[in-house]
Amino acid sequence: MSVPLVFDGKVVIVTGAGGGLGREYALAFGVRGASVVVNDLGGDIKGGGKSSNAADKVVEEIKAKGGKAVANYDSVEDGEKLIQTALDAFGRIGAPFINTFACISDLIHRVHLRGSFMVTRAAWNHMKKQKFGRIIMTSSAAGIYGNFGQANYSAAKLGLLGLANTLAIEGQKYNIHCNTIAPTAGSRLTETVMPPVLCESLKAEYVAPLVLWLSHDQCQENGGLFEVGAGWIGKLRWERSQGRIVRKKNQGMFPETVRDQWDNICDFTNATKPANINESVATLVEVLSRVETDEGIAPNPTSAMATALEAVGQKLPESTFSYSQTQCILYALGVGMSTKDDDHLKFLYEGHEDFSCLPTFGVIPSQAAMMDGGLGSVPGLNFDFTRLLHGEQYLELFQPLPTSGTLTSQARIADVLDKGSGAVILLDVHTYSGKELLCYNQYSLFIVGAGGFGGKRTSDKAMVTRNISKRSDLTLIPRFQAALYRLSGDWNPLHIDPNLTSSLHFSGFKSPILHGLCSFGFAARHVLKQYANNDASRFKSIKVRFVKPVLPGQSLQTEMWKEGNRIHIQCKVSSFIMVEMTSDSELVFAEIGRRIKDLGAEMVKKVNAVFGWEITKGGNTAAQWTIDLKTGAGALHKGPYSGKTDVTITVSDDDFMEVVQGKLNPQKAFFAGKLKVRGNIMLSQKLEVILKDYAKL
């Protein structure tokens, strides 16, 4: 037999040692030479009452076998008293074994979790000084796995594991090791529900040997978790699946993507086993690196688009589109043409000698090919159509479009691409007048959350955009523009219904957005005017990529320059304010100015800060205000401020009014991104002094 483990010269504290597991531990340590502090309140199985009998009896048993022991009757919440008993009796401490028994009362957290913490804290500095310590926390299967009807007990027991893991880390350099056991053994509690034969097989003495080994100075185990019972011991560890990346750089993350990747997220094939927080975080660092390099989502054969590759080459049903001069005029109005401009009249008045159809009207008959279920009729394209966004558009004209007629369009799926966070469908549409080809469109349709099916990322079938004079045109988009444009045939409610646009199905847009093909029309007519004097016959082709949404009411600026016979354009929302904006917030700042005049000195004393305010409307800065409650008797400034502010707050006019009227909580507005703060954010807590009681005025 190998050399026996002994604990000569060691001091061991065992809590809850009056019976059950604690008693067995105390006796085992005593027999092997340790000086034992037997702690027990002497309560009943419900945690009530108090008696010295239990602890005293165990002390007598240890002494009868030639060991050293002393009793302690304090609550584990009085950890200092317990440790002091050990110091007074034996001069030092070594291994406080935390074994609190299971009381079924509201004392559970105090006894199990806080009590263990208090005893350990009291012993910690003594262990550090002597460069040695062994701590064993007693958790349970209920804490690790959960158990019906034991929510409070389970929470406390799992809390012990978290405490032990952190102590193991912090104590390592001081030779203080901390481990956790989850024993299954007969006790005063289990003997009332378990048959005697089973209790006999689950003796506490079948747990004690593990405790003794973990407490010995030869044992270097630290931060371990062990299940033990009936003579069996097993070590537990965390296991983590390989997981899946479910987002792309600078793109959103959607629950549908999580759903589509769920089987892979939960697949433990080739699982990893992180042993510490560094290994856990390392995975996230790797994920961030992969997101930055755009590696994308791992293949997911369960994706809704898993059969999408079958659709490549498939033709959609042929569509017809009949129109009159009315539709041409309506389209021209839809992309912002107006009788205020004389050169627009040729596109708006059927009696004009040069009455023409705008070249970009060519997208209208082509989109009929995918409306009315045309796209959904293609085998393999199984996706939620509410997730469809317009990514890119290419239009090429082979001759000027007639101002009326009946056209036919033939469409086919050119390719399907896997962009990770979504799928892209390339749809080619050729539009004819009789047998004569009029125009060719390629739609790049992005399906949010439908990626990860293992397809290719690029295609040689995609019409590409080129890389960006600085000649530009600027147009204000009226708020009614989307409502007007949709009359040309794009009835997607995303552009009109505010209830739908705020839902997750539409990527969380705060309000209806302008049709991509509407802004496309605006940009194209800017180019047509600038470089072709509105001569539609000189228009050949156009390719655009839609990058960000445009809101009705914003200003579109089209930058363009010419290289050879090619015009490059970049269309963006301009921060230029086309019209003078007035805001409801002006009334509030007028009242703040009045208060400063009356109570400025008092407010300066309370606040002592300079607040900058940027009030926005439609995404543009509508007003700037500075409240100086730091200098002299205070002052209110309107417009740009030459001095330095302590904190600057940006908020829309509507949200500002909601806040000052008490309808919107400032903290909720901040976390929702409605109220943005730069500078000393803590000063924002003093806003109440400034805005106080405004709603009552």
Side-chain angles (χ1 to χ4, degrees):
M1 186 175 177
S2 59
V3 178
L5 298 175
V6 295
F7 294 86
D8 295 342
K10 305 297 184 187
V11 178
V12 177
I13 301 171
V14 183
T15 64
L21 286 170
R23 171 181 173 275
E24 195 64 37
Y25 302 150
L27 293 174
F29 277 114
V31 168
R32 292 174 180 264
S35 299
V36 184
V37 176
V38 179
N39 164 262
D40 201 287
L41 278 171
D44 56 33
I45 62 171
K46 294 184 178 181
K50 186 173 182 179
S51 171
S52 63
N53 292 339
D56 289 343
K57 184 177 180 181
V58 175
V59 168
E60 291 173 4
E61 289 185 74
I62 293 173
K63 289 182 175 179
K65 295 180 179 181
K68 302 175 183 177
V70 63
N72 175 275
Y73 319 114
D74 294 305
S75 166
V76 288
E77 292 185 274
D78 297 319
E80 293 286 352
K81 294 181 180 178
L82 202 161
I83 299 302
Q84 193 59 49
T85 298
L87 294 173
D88 291 344
F90 307 117
R92 60 179 307 219
I93 59 173
F97 177 76
I98 313 302
N99 173 58
T100 53
F101 63 87
C103 60
I104 45 177
S105 70
D106 61 350
L107 295 177
I108 282 180
H109 278 258
R110 288 167 50 195
V111 172
H112 286 278
L113 188 54
R114 187 171 185 273
S116 298
F117 169 77
M118 296 299 290
V119 173
T120 305
R121 185 175 70 172
W124 193 255
N125 285 335
H126 299 286
M127 290 181 169
K128 284 174 63 176
K129 289 178 182 178
Q130 66 192 28
K131 300 292 184 182
F132 176 81
R134 295 291 185 267
I135 303 170
I136 297 91
M137 298 287 185
T138 301
S139 183
S140 75
I144 299 169
Y145 306 110
N147 193 31
F148 183 84
Q150 290 189 291
N152 53 355
Y153 177 69
S154 298
K157 284 299 188 181
L158 189 59
L160 284 172
L161 177 60
L163 173 62
N165 288 343
T166 297
L167 293 177
I169 295 169
E170 295 181 353
Q172 179 77 39
K173 64 181 179 180
Y174 302 108
N175 193 27
I176 302 174
H177 296 170
C178 186
N179 292 284
T180 306
I181 66 169
T184 301
S187 67
R188 290 185 294 170
L189 291 176
T190 58
E191 67 185 10
T192 63
V193 294
M194 287 184 179
V197 176
L198 183 57
C199 282
E200 180 66 20
S201 300
L202 297 174
K203 289 181 179 179
E205 63 189 70
Y206 298 150
V207 175
L210 171 63
V211 173
L212 268 65
W213 167 238
L214 292 174
S215 301
H216 201 273
D217 53 9
Q218 292 180 17
C219 181
Q220 296 303 303
E221 184 70 34
N222 190 26
L225 171 62
F226 301 88
E227 286 186 283
V228 54
W232 170 87
I233 302 170
K235 185 176 183 179
L236 279 74
R237 64 183 177 189
W238 293 106
E239 186 177 54
R240 182 169 63 188
S241 71
Q242 290 287 338
R244 285 295 185 271
I245 299 174
V246 292
R247 73 175 183 90
K248 296 286 289 181
K249 182 181 179 181
N250 298 326
Q251 295 183 15
M253 179 175 168
F254 305 97
E256 290 79 10
T257 315
V258 178
R259 175 200 63 202
D260 295 341
Q261 293 281 0
W262 193 246
D263 287 346
N264 289 314
I265 290 170
C266 299
D267 182 0
F268 278 85
T269 303
N270 299 320
T272 61
K273 301 170 180 64
N276 54 58
I277 196 168
N278 292 331
E279 293 181 11
S280 173
V281 172
T283 299
L284 296 182
V285 172
E286 180 188 353
V287 166
L288 292 174
S289 174
R290 292 173 61 189
V291 169
E292 283 298 312
T293 55
D294 218 23
E295 288 186 27
I297 303 173
N300 175 17
T302 65
S303 167
M305 294 290 285
T307 58
L309 298 181
E310 300 174 7
V312 176
Q314 295 283 337
K315 293 182 179 180
L316 279 66
E318 185 175 277
S319 65
T320 60
F321 178 78
S322 297
Y323 66 105
S324 67
Q325 55 197 23
T326 302
Q327 278 73 38
C328 296
I329 295 170
L330 191 60
Y331 175 80
L333 292 170
V335 296
M337 286 200 146
S338 167
T339 54
K340 291 188 299 183
D341 296 290
D342 292 340
D343 57 352
H344 288 188
L345 198 59
K346 62 184 292 186
F347 300 106
L348 298 173
Y349 175 42
E350 72 284 359
H352 194 283
E353 60 181 357
D354 294 321
F355 180 57
S356 303
C357 183
L358 275 173
T360 49
F361 182 76
V363 301
I364 301 302
S366 70
Q367 69 184 13
M370 60 179 177
M371 297 294 183
D372 301 323
L375 198 60
S377 67
V378 178
L381 294 185
N382 304 311
F383 62 90
D384 181 354
F385 277 79
T386 64
R387 307 300 300 170
L388 187 151
L389 297 175
H390 202 158
E392 298 182 7
Q393 181 72 29
Y394 176 78
L395 167 65
E396 183 176 355
L397 294 183
F398 297 95
Q399 55 184 305
L401 298 172
T403 55
S404 63
T406 297
L407 309 180
T408 59
S409 293
Q410 298 174 0
R412 65 183 288 275
I413 306 299
D415 216 338
V416 178
L417 307 178
D418 187 348
K419 295 294 187 178
S421 61
V424 170
I425 299 173
L426 296 180
L427 179 68
D428 285 346
V429 186
H430 292 82
T431 300
Y432 299 83
S433 176
K435 294 183 178 181
E436 192 173 28
L437 179 62
L438 290 181
C439 61
Y440 160 62
N441 281 270
Q442 185 179 83
Y443 290 82
S444 178
L445 306 173
F446 187 80
I447 316 301
V448 178
F453 56 88
K456 59 186 179 181
R457 290 183 55 82
T458 60
S459 172
D460 56 5
K461 298 181 178 66
M463 304 300 295
V464 298
T465 52
R466 302 295 179 101
N467 291 328
I468 307 215
S469 139
K470 295 301 179 186
R471 184 175 296 180
S472 65
D473 207 333
L474 184 69
T475 303
L476 176 69
I477 307 297
R479 293 189 180 277
F480 60 77
Q481 198 68 51
L484 179 59
Y485 182 85
R486 68 192 301 267
L487 299 180
S488 290
D490 188 340
W491 303 101
N492 191 334
L494 170 64
H495 308 292
I496 193 73
D497 190 338
N499 294 322
L500 285 177
T501 52
S502 62
S503 74
L504 288 176
H505 281 292
F506 289 104
S507 304
F509 294 125
K510 295 181 179 179
S511 62
I513 62 174
L514 192 67
H515 302 72
L517 288 179
C518 182
S519 56
F520 166 83
F522 269 81
R525 70 175 180 79
H526 288 162
V527 175
L528 189 67
K529 177 181 179 180
Q530 189 68 52
Y531 290 102
N533 196 29
N534 279 335
D535 183 354
S537 66
R538 297 178 61 188
F539 191 99
K540 173 62 176 174
S541 64
I542 181 172
K543 170 64 191 259
V544 300
R545 174 180 297 153
F546 303 109
V547 179
K548 292 183 179 179
V550 177
L551 303 178
Q554 291 182 322
S555 299
L556 273 183
Q557 183 174 9
T558 305
E559 297 177 344
M560 45 196 143
W561 59 99
K562 186 176 181 181
E563 292 181 4
N565 64 351
R566 186 180 297 276
I567 309 299
H568 299 276
I569 64 172
Q570 176 175 275
C571 193
K572 61 185 181 181
V573 172
S574 173
S575 59
F576 180 79
I577 301 174
M578 297 287 292
V579 295
E580 182 179 356
M581 296 186 179
T582 58
S583 61
D584 295 334
S585 57
E586 288 191 11
L587 299 174
V588 177
F589 285 102
E591 171 60 20
I592 291 173
R594 185 192 65 77
R595 290 185 182 180
I596 291 175
K597 286 183 180 179
D598 295 343
L599 304 169
E602 180 181 340
M603 294 174 75
V604 167
K605 188 175 180 180
K606 288 182 178 179
V607 178
N608 190 33
V610 179
F611 292 85
W613 290 84
E614 294 177 354
I615 307 299
T616 66
K617 266 194 171 184
N620 297 312
T621 300
Q624 293 176 295
W625 298 88
T626 304
I627 303 173
D628 183 354
L629 293 178
K630 198 173 189 178
T631 308
L636 175 68
H637 304 277
K638 184 177 181 180
Y641 183 62
S642 59
K644 183 180 179 182
T645 60
D646 295 299
V647 60
T648 300
I649 300 167
T650 302
V651 63
S652 73
D653 188 60
D654 291 340
D655 289 335
F656 178 82
M657 294 305 298
E658 293 277 305
V659 169
V660 299
Q661 292 175 17
K663 296 179 182 179
L664 177 62
N665 180 281
Q667 284 76 25
K668 289 184 178 179
F670 174 77
F671 286 111
K674 295 182 177 181
L675 188 151
K676 298 178 181 178
V677 182
R678 303 193 306 272
N680 187 347
I681 192 172
M682 300 306 295
L683 288 174
S684 60
Q685 297 179 11
K686 297 186 178 182
L687 289 177
E688 185 180 359
V689 176
I690 302 172
L691 304 176
K692 183 179 176 184
D693 296 333
Y694 173 80
K696 298 178 182 178
L697 297 176

